[in-house]
Amino acid sequence: MRIAIAVTGAVLLLAGAAGLALGLGAFDAFGALSGRPLLDPALARFARETGWFLPSAAGAAEVLALAGQLWLVMQVRAVVHQRWPDLDPETRSRGRSELWRRRATSGLSRAEGASSATA
């Protein structure tokens, strides 16, 4: 899984670098590519004339971003649970009651020691 993520990240990084280089005119030796619009004029006209295209594209991008964010949260939770495994509810409640019992008895023993010292 990590290899697939690394490859996807590398491809996206290279695509972004190529787009930046194209916009800066690095590929102008092959023709004036930086002077042309990014989208085909027919596609730009379609997006401008239809009222549903851009909101639906934004919605699809938002759903993909949310899915990626949820996936990332699940990965982080998996790592956290590997390092600090959860206890079952019964063990957790016994541990809490034991902690409260220790605190209560240590407080009592300190109070008894203080009262005998003052007497």
Side-chain angles (χ1 to χ4, degrees):
M1 186 67 163
R2 290 181 183 175
I3 294 173
I5 294 171
V7 169
T8 303
V11 167
L12 290 173
L13 179 69
L14 290 174
L20 181 64
L22 178 67
L24 293 175
F27 299 120
D28 281 349
F30 303 110
L33 296 175
S34 60
R36 292 177 39 204
L38 180 63
L39 297 176
D40 187 56
L43 181 61
R45 191 175 336 104
F46 175 75
R48 187 175 47 247
E49 290 174 357
T50 57
W52 59 268
F53 179 74
L54 290 178
S56 62
E62 190 170 341
V63 167
L64 284 174
L66 180 62
Q69 190 174 17
L70 289 174
W71 177 83
L72 187 61
V73 166
M74 295 304 291
Q75 296 302 311
V76 169
R77 286 186 64 166
V79 169
V80 168
H81 287 298
Q82 282 177 352
R83 295 186 134 220
W84 299 288
D86 281 346
L87 300 174
D88 61 316
E90 183 182 338
T91 307
R92 186 179 298 123
S93 66
R94 269 193 272 139
R96 285 182 183 157
S97 62
E98 179 67 23
L99 178 67
W100 284 107
R101 188 188 62 77
R102 283 188 205 157
R103 285 183 182 170
T105 56
S106 68
L108 286 174
S109 63
R110 274 191 255 141
E112 289 173 358
S115 65
S116 64
T118 58

